[in-house]
Amino acid sequence: MKADVLLGLQWGDEGKGKIVDVLTPNYGVIARFQGGPNAGHTLEFNGIKHVLHTIPSGIFREDTLNVIGNGVVIDPRVLKRELLALDDLNVDYSKSLLVSKKAHLILPTHCMLDAASEASKGKKKIGSTLRGIGPTYMDKTGRNGIRVGDLVMPNFDERYNALREKHLNMLSGYAFDVSELEEQEKLWFAGVDKLKELELIDSEHFIHEKMNAGSAILAEGAQGSLLDIDFGSYPFVTSSNTICAGACTGLGIAPNQIGEVFGIFKAYCTRVGSGPFPTELFDKDGEILAKAGNEFGATTGRPRRCGWLDLPALKYACMINGVTKLIMMKADVLSYVDKVRVCVAYEYKGKTLDYLPYEILDDDIKPIYENLSPWTDDLTGMREYNELPETLKSYVEYIEEKVGIPITIVSVGPDRTQTLRK
Ligand code: IMP
C-alpha cells in the first residue's frame, strides 16, 4: 500500500490539522514528517478546540496510530504540555503515539539562539516563531544534534553538556541574557521524562512494516510549501523541506511509494512573519478577511497578513509537490468581502510573468488580477456541496481549470462537520 501525503500549498495555516482529522478514519497511521512546535494544527469537534504542535492530528481518533517522524524536531517542554492537555481530555495515547528515535531534540539553548539571531537581524528578521526550529536543524545538518534515541544512551549527559556549552559560547557572542536557562532546563528535563514514557521506535521500519501489512498511511506536513527551505521565499522560510519530498526524507518513504498528494489551500492567502507576499492587502478588504477568518497564529497569536489568492504561487506549489487532489479551505470567509479577486500573473520590469519567479523578493513584482463574482451567503451551516452558491461553485471550477487539478473538498468552517466533499 502506498502512503498518501497531505501538505499546505501556501505560507502555512491552511487548515491541515482539521483535514487530517477528517481524513483519519481512512488511515491506520498518521505520521508527521517535518517541522516542530512552530506548527499549530487546530482541530474542532464537539464544541472543543484543540491545538497540536508536535503530535499528529490523528490522535483523537481511536484505532489510529500516530508517528512523530525522524524529520520532526521535538521540544520536550512543548510535547509534555500537549500530552498533559490530552490527559485532561482522557485521550489515551499510551499505545497510539510513537516517536522516531531519529527525531532531533530542541534544547532550551536552541530557543535562546533563535531569539538572539532574530534580534541581531533587526529589520531583516525572518519573523521566526522563536521555537528554536532554525538552530536545531542547523545542528542536525552540522552533525552536532541530539536525537531522541540518544536520551537512553550512557553518554547522554556528556553530549548534552557539550552542545549546551557550544551554544552558551555562541550566546555570549550575542550578549544574550541566559539567566532563565536553569529554570528552562528543569522544565526540559521534566519533558524528557514524559517523552521517555512514550514508545520510541525505528519509525522507518515501523512505517514500512505497516505499509507491507496493507495499512493506509497519511503523512502530515507542517507549515506550507512557500515556506520550504529550498523552494520557499528564501530566506523568509522555515528550516525544513515542507514539500512532498520532505515526507520521503522525514519518514523514510521512497518516492515511488507515495500515493495521493493532497494539497490544501485557503480560498485567499495569509502569511505570518516577514517576507514577500505579492497579493497582500493593506486596505479594508484585508482587515475584513483577517477579522472574519480569525487570522491570528495558532502558535504565537501574531496577526496574519491577508491577501487575495495567488494562482502562479499555487500552481508552483502544485508542481513541486505533485499534488493530485486539492482541498480548498475557508471559503466561508470570502462571503464577507464584496469582491473576489485572483492574481493570475505578475508584472515585473515591464514583463508579464505567469509563473513564480526567483525575483519574488523584489518589491517591483506587482500582481495582475482577474475579478470574479462574489457571494455573500452564510456558508457555515451548509453540509452538501450542492448547497453552495453558484458563484462559489464557479470560483471552484475556475481554480480547477487554471491549476488543472480537481478540488475534492471545500471547507466552510473549522468544525469537522463543515467539510463538503465534491
Ligand atoms: P520558524 O520556522 O519558527 O523558524 O519561522 C520561519 C518562518 O516561517 C516565519 O515567517 C514563521 O512565521 C513561519 N512559520 C513557521 N511555522 C509556521 C506555521 O506553522 N504556520 C505559518 N507560518 C509559520
Short mmCIF file of all heavy atoms in Angstrom, two decimals, residues 11-13 16 36 38-41 114 118 126-135 222-224 227 235-239 271-275 299-300 302 304, ligand 1:
data_model
loop_
_atom_site.label_atom_id
_atom_site.label_comp_id
_atom_site.label_asym_id
_atom_site.label_seq_id
_atom_site.Cartn_x
_atom_site.Cartn_y
_atom_site.Cartn_z
N TRP A 11 1.53 29.69 2.70
CA TRP A 11 2.55 30.02 3.71
C TRP A 11 2.18 29.44 5.08
O TRP A 11 2.43 30.06 6.10
CB TRP A 11 2.71 31.54 3.80
CG TRP A 11 3.49 32.11 2.67
CD1 TRP A 11 4.85 32.06 2.49
CD2 TRP A 11 3.00 32.85 1.54
NE1 TRP A 11 5.22 32.71 1.34
CE2 TRP A 11 4.10 33.20 0.73
CE3 TRP A 11 1.73 33.26 1.15
CZ2 TRP A 11 3.98 33.94 -0.44
CZ3 TRP A 11 1.60 33.98 -0.02
CH2 TRP A 11 2.71 34.31 -0.80
N GLY A 12 1.57 28.27 5.09
CA GLY A 12 1.16 27.65 6.34
C GLY A 12 -0.22 28.13 6.76
O GLY A 12 -0.84 28.96 6.09
N ASP A 13 -0.72 27.52 7.83
CA ASP A 13 -2.02 27.89 8.41
C ASP A 13 -3.17 27.65 7.44
O ASP A 13 -4.19 28.34 7.51
CB ASP A 13 -2.03 29.36 8.86
CG ASP A 13 -0.86 29.67 9.76
OD1 ASP A 13 -0.59 28.85 10.65
OD2 ASP A 13 -0.21 30.71 9.57
N LYS A 16 -4.46 22.33 7.83
CA LYS A 16 -4.06 20.92 7.67
C LYS A 16 -4.60 20.04 8.80
O LYS A 16 -5.06 18.93 8.56
CB LYS A 16 -2.53 20.81 7.61
CG LYS A 16 -1.93 21.51 6.39
CD LYS A 16 -0.43 21.54 6.44
CE LYS A 16 0.13 22.50 7.45
NZ LYS A 16 -0.06 23.93 7.16
N GLY A 36 8.19 21.34 13.69
CA GLY A 36 8.13 21.03 15.12
C GLY A 36 7.11 21.93 15.76
O GLY A 36 6.06 22.20 15.15
N ASN A 38 6.82 24.93 15.90
CA ASN A 38 6.43 26.14 15.16
C ASN A 38 5.04 25.96 14.56
O ASN A 38 4.36 26.92 14.23
CB ASN A 38 7.46 26.50 14.06
CG ASN A 38 7.86 25.32 13.18
OD1 ASN A 38 7.53 24.18 13.47
ND2 ASN A 38 8.58 25.60 12.11
N ALA A 39 4.62 24.71 14.40
CA ALA A 39 3.30 24.41 13.83
C ALA A 39 2.21 24.55 14.90
O ALA A 39 2.47 24.36 16.09
CB ALA A 39 3.28 22.98 13.28
N GLY A 40 1.03 24.86 14.46
CA GLY A 40 -0.13 24.87 15.36
C GLY A 40 -1.29 24.30 14.58
O GLY A 40 -1.90 25.01 13.79
N HIS A 41 -1.54 23.01 14.71
CA HIS A 41 -2.61 22.38 13.93
C HIS A 41 -3.89 22.36 14.77
O HIS A 41 -3.95 21.72 15.82
CB HIS A 41 -2.19 20.98 13.49
CG HIS A 41 -1.10 21.01 12.45
ND1 HIS A 41 -0.58 19.92 11.84
CD2 HIS A 41 -0.46 22.08 11.89
CE1 HIS A 41 0.34 20.29 10.96
NE2 HIS A 41 0.44 21.60 10.99
N ASP A 114 17.70 31.10 18.71
CA ASP A 114 16.72 31.59 17.75
C ASP A 114 16.40 33.06 18.06
O ASP A 114 16.42 33.93 17.18
CB ASP A 114 15.44 30.73 17.89
CG ASP A 114 14.66 30.62 16.59
OD1 ASP A 114 15.07 31.22 15.59
OD2 ASP A 114 13.62 29.92 16.59
N GLU A 118 17.42 36.31 15.74
CA GLU A 118 16.39 37.20 15.22
C GLU A 118 16.65 38.64 15.67
O GLU A 118 16.56 39.57 14.86
CB GLU A 118 15.00 36.75 15.71
CG GLU A 118 14.41 35.60 14.91
CD GLU A 118 13.88 36.03 13.55
OE1 GLU A 118 14.72 36.17 12.63
OE2 GLU A 118 12.68 36.21 13.38
N ILE A 126 13.45 37.25 10.23
CA ILE A 126 12.61 36.31 9.48
C ILE A 126 11.17 36.35 10.00
O ILE A 126 10.23 36.02 9.29
CB ILE A 126 13.15 34.86 9.65
CG1 ILE A 126 14.64 34.77 9.33
CG2 ILE A 126 12.35 33.83 8.88
CD1 ILE A 126 14.99 34.98 7.89
N GLY A 127 11.04 36.72 11.27
CA GLY A 127 9.72 36.62 11.90
C GLY A 127 9.51 35.21 12.42
O GLY A 127 8.39 34.69 12.42
N SER A 128 10.61 34.58 12.84
CA SER A 128 10.55 33.20 13.35
C SER A 128 9.57 33.09 14.51
O SER A 128 9.32 34.06 15.23
CB SER A 128 11.96 32.81 13.83
OG SER A 128 11.90 31.82 14.83
N THR A 129 9.05 31.88 14.69
CA THR A 129 8.15 31.64 15.83
C THR A 129 8.94 31.57 17.13
O THR A 129 8.36 31.43 18.20
CB THR A 129 7.40 30.31 15.64
OG1 THR A 129 8.36 29.26 15.53
CG2 THR A 129 6.52 30.33 14.39
N LEU A 130 10.25 31.62 17.04
CA LEU A 130 11.18 31.57 18.19
C LEU A 130 11.06 30.26 18.98
O LEU A 130 11.26 30.23 20.18
CB LEU A 130 10.96 32.78 19.13
CG LEU A 130 11.09 34.15 18.48
CD1 LEU A 130 10.90 35.26 19.50
CD2 LEU A 130 12.46 34.31 17.81
N ARG A 131 10.71 29.21 18.27
CA ARG A 131 10.60 27.90 18.92
C ARG A 131 11.89 27.08 18.78
O ARG A 131 11.91 25.89 19.05
CB ARG A 131 9.41 27.11 18.34
CG ARG A 131 8.05 27.76 18.56
CD ARG A 131 7.75 27.93 20.05
NE ARG A 131 6.41 28.42 20.28
CZ ARG A 131 6.05 29.69 20.44
NH1 ARG A 131 6.97 30.65 20.38
NH2 ARG A 131 4.79 30.04 20.68
N GLY A 132 12.95 27.72 18.30
CA GLY A 132 14.24 27.02 18.23
C GLY A 132 14.41 26.15 16.99
O GLY A 132 15.34 25.34 16.90
N ILE A 133 13.52 26.33 16.02
CA ILE A 133 13.49 25.45 14.85
C ILE A 133 14.79 25.57 14.02
O ILE A 133 15.46 24.57 13.74
CB ILE A 133 12.27 25.78 13.95
CG1 ILE A 133 10.97 25.72 14.77
CG2 ILE A 133 12.22 24.90 12.71
CD1 ILE A 133 10.60 24.38 15.33
N GLY A 134 15.13 26.82 13.63
CA GLY A 134 16.31 27.03 12.78
C GLY A 134 17.58 26.49 13.43
O GLY A 134 18.30 25.68 12.82
N PRO A 135 17.89 26.91 14.67
CA PRO A 135 19.13 26.42 15.30
C PRO A 135 19.16 24.89 15.45
O PRO A 135 20.23 24.28 15.35
CB PRO A 135 19.13 27.12 16.66
CG PRO A 135 18.35 28.39 16.41
CD PRO A 135 17.29 28.02 15.43
N ALA A 222 3.70 20.08 7.81
CA ALA A 222 3.51 21.28 8.63
C ALA A 222 4.04 22.48 7.85
O ALA A 222 4.76 22.32 6.86
CB ALA A 222 4.26 21.14 9.95
N GLN A 223 3.67 23.68 8.31
CA GLN A 223 3.98 24.92 7.57
C GLN A 223 3.41 24.79 6.15
O GLN A 223 2.44 24.08 5.96
CB GLN A 223 5.47 25.22 7.54
CG GLN A 223 6.07 25.63 8.89
CD GLN A 223 6.33 24.45 9.81
OE1 GLN A 223 7.02 23.53 9.44
NE2 GLN A 223 5.79 24.49 11.01
N GLY A 224 4.00 25.48 5.18
CA GLY A 224 3.44 25.42 3.83
C GLY A 224 4.55 25.38 2.80
O GLY A 224 5.72 25.66 3.11
N LEU A 227 7.03 28.11 2.37
CA LEU A 227 8.00 28.28 3.46
C LEU A 227 9.09 27.22 3.39
O LEU A 227 9.91 27.10 4.31
CB LEU A 227 7.29 28.20 4.82
CG LEU A 227 6.37 29.37 5.19
CD1 LEU A 227 5.58 29.05 6.46
CD2 LEU A 227 7.16 30.66 5.39
N PRO A 235 15.28 34.16 2.14
CA PRO A 235 15.48 33.47 3.41
C PRO A 235 14.27 33.49 4.34
O PRO A 235 14.37 33.04 5.48
CB PRO A 235 16.64 34.26 4.03
CG PRO A 235 16.39 35.67 3.57
CD PRO A 235 15.80 35.54 2.18
N PHE A 236 13.14 34.01 3.86
CA PHE A 236 11.97 34.11 4.75
C PHE A 236 11.19 32.80 4.71
O PHE A 236 10.07 32.74 4.19
CB PHE A 236 11.11 35.31 4.34
CG PHE A 236 11.88 36.60 4.41
CD1 PHE A 236 12.40 37.18 3.26
CD2 PHE A 236 12.14 37.20 5.63
CE1 PHE A 236 13.13 38.35 3.33
CE2 PHE A 236 12.88 38.36 5.71
CZ PHE A 236 13.39 38.94 4.55
N VAL A 237 11.79 31.78 5.23
CA VAL A 237 11.25 30.42 5.15
C VAL A 237 11.50 29.73 6.49
O VAL A 237 12.17 30.27 7.36
CB VAL A 237 11.96 29.62 4.03
CG1 VAL A 237 11.60 30.19 2.67
CG2 VAL A 237 13.48 29.62 4.23
N THR A 238 10.99 28.52 6.62
CA THR A 238 11.36 27.73 7.78
C THR A 238 12.57 26.87 7.40
O THR A 238 13.10 26.99 6.29
CB THR A 238 10.16 26.89 8.28
OG1 THR A 238 10.49 26.34 9.57
CG2 THR A 238 9.78 25.78 7.31
N SER A 239 13.05 26.03 8.30
CA SER A 239 14.34 25.37 8.06
C SER A 239 14.22 23.92 7.63
O SER A 239 15.19 23.18 7.68
CB SER A 239 15.20 25.46 9.33
OG SER A 239 15.43 26.81 9.61
N ARG A 271 -0.18 35.06 5.50
CA ARG A 271 1.23 34.83 5.81
C ARG A 271 1.51 35.42 7.21
O ARG A 271 1.06 36.52 7.50
CB ARG A 271 2.10 35.50 4.74
CG ARG A 271 3.56 35.41 5.03
CD ARG A 271 4.48 35.71 3.87
NE ARG A 271 5.72 35.06 4.27
CZ ARG A 271 6.74 34.79 3.51
NH1 ARG A 271 6.72 35.13 2.26
NH2 ARG A 271 7.81 34.18 3.97
N VAL A 272 2.27 34.69 8.03
CA VAL A 272 2.74 35.25 9.32
C VAL A 272 4.24 35.45 9.21
O VAL A 272 4.91 34.65 8.59
CB VAL A 272 2.56 34.28 10.52
CG1 VAL A 272 2.31 35.02 11.80
CG2 VAL A 272 1.53 33.23 10.27
N GLY A 273 4.73 36.49 9.86
CA GLY A 273 6.16 36.75 9.80
C GLY A 273 6.51 37.57 8.57
O GLY A 273 5.64 37.99 7.80
N SER A 274 7.81 37.75 8.36
CA SER A 274 8.26 38.63 7.28
C SER A 274 8.31 37.88 5.95
O SER A 274 8.11 36.68 5.90
CB SER A 274 9.66 39.14 7.58
OG SER A 274 9.84 39.34 8.96
N GLY A 275 8.62 38.63 4.89
CA GLY A 275 8.82 38.01 3.58
C GLY A 275 7.81 38.45 2.55
O GLY A 275 6.79 39.04 2.88
N THR A 299 0.09 29.31 17.07
CA THR A 299 1.22 29.08 17.96
C THR A 299 1.65 30.36 18.67
O THR A 299 1.90 30.37 19.87
CB THR A 299 2.41 28.51 17.16
OG1 THR A 299 2.00 27.26 16.60
CG2 THR A 299 3.63 28.28 18.02
N THR A 300 1.72 31.45 17.93
CA THR A 300 2.27 32.67 18.51
C THR A 300 1.21 33.73 18.78
O THR A 300 1.49 34.72 19.45
CB THR A 300 3.31 33.29 17.55
OG1 THR A 300 2.65 33.54 16.30
CG2 THR A 300 4.48 32.37 17.33
N ARG A 302 0.23 35.82 16.72
CA ARG A 302 0.51 37.02 15.91
C ARG A 302 -0.56 37.19 14.83
O ARG A 302 -1.04 36.20 14.27
CB ARG A 302 1.87 36.88 15.21
CG ARG A 302 3.04 36.94 16.14
CD ARG A 302 4.34 36.79 15.38
NE ARG A 302 4.49 35.46 14.81
CZ ARG A 302 5.48 35.11 14.00
NH1 ARG A 302 6.40 35.99 13.66
NH2 ARG A 302 5.57 33.89 13.53
N ARG A 304 -2.09 37.52 11.27
CA ARG A 304 -1.60 37.07 9.96
C ARG A 304 -1.88 38.14 8.92
O ARG A 304 -2.93 38.79 8.97
CB ARG A 304 -2.31 35.78 9.54
CG ARG A 304 -2.05 34.63 10.48
CD ARG A 304 -2.79 33.37 10.02
NE ARG A 304 -2.63 32.29 11.00
CZ ARG A 304 -3.59 31.46 11.37
NH1 ARG A 304 -4.80 31.54 10.84
NH2 ARG A 304 -3.37 30.53 12.26
P1 IMP B 1 10.45 29.28 12.13
O1 IMP B 1 10.01 28.04 11.43
O2 IMP B 1 9.88 29.39 13.51
O3 IMP B 1 11.92 29.47 12.10
O4 IMP B 1 9.84 30.53 11.32
C1 IMP B 1 10.25 30.84 10.00
C2 IMP B 1 9.10 31.48 9.22
O5 IMP B 1 8.07 30.51 9.00
C3 IMP B 1 8.39 32.65 9.94
O6 IMP B 1 7.95 33.57 8.99
C4 IMP B 1 7.21 31.99 10.61
O7 IMP B 1 6.15 32.90 10.84
C5 IMP B 1 6.85 30.96 9.57
N1 IMP B 1 6.20 29.78 10.15
C6 IMP B 1 6.79 28.78 10.83
N2 IMP B 1 5.89 27.86 11.18
C7 IMP B 1 4.72 28.27 10.70
C8 IMP B 1 3.41 27.70 10.71
O8 IMP B 1 3.17 26.61 11.23
N3 IMP B 1 2.44 28.44 10.10
C9 IMP B 1 2.70 29.61 9.48
N4 IMP B 1 3.90 30.18 9.43
C10 IMP B 1 4.91 29.50 10.04
#
